[in-house]
Amino acid sequence: GVQTCALPIYWVLVKPGTMEAVEEAGIKAGEANNWLQKDDPNVLAATPLIGKGGSTSVEFTAPTAAGDYPFICTTPGHMEDMHGILHVTPN
């Protein structure tokens, strides 16, 4: 999908139950790494950092296992308000 933003953000799809771990890893990775740990095994898909007024899109293969997959923004302080769920259902 396309995301338009007013603040630098990410759209990051994560494994169920790992939102906080991905956020903490991003904080440890720091601003120099754009608040996202490189090769985090809990991250299933992510956009590049989206700057003020920017937009982006992301293509990914949906998980094969049914479940609720959270998506978040890993910029510090953003996850609390910037999150949602991708619902994957069985065929």
Side-chain angles (χ1 to χ4, degrees):
V2 175
Q3 176 73 42
T4 302
C5 61
L7 300 170
I9 63 167
Y10 279 106
W11 180 91
V12 182
L13 182 67
V14 303
K15 293 178 181 177
T18 66
M19 285 174 44
E20 289 80 11
V22 170
E23 181 187 38
E24 288 173 17
I27 290 169
K28 288 179 183 175
E31 186 174 10
N33 293 301
N34 294 321
W35 310 111
L36 189 63
Q37 178 185 317
K38 186 178 180 180
D39 300 325
D40 186 330
N42 294 317
V43 173
L44 301 174
T47 65
L49 184 68
I50 308 164
K52 183 176 181 179
S55 65
T56 193
S57 63
V58 62
E59 291 186 29
F60 60 94
T61 301
T64 56
D68 293 335
Y69 293 81
F71 55 86
I72 61 173
C73 177
T74 57
T75 301
H78 288 196
M79 187 177 82
E80 193 170 301
D81 295 323
M82 301 175 92
H83 62 271
I85 301 288
L86 171 69
H87 301 285
V88 176
T89 58
N91 287 336

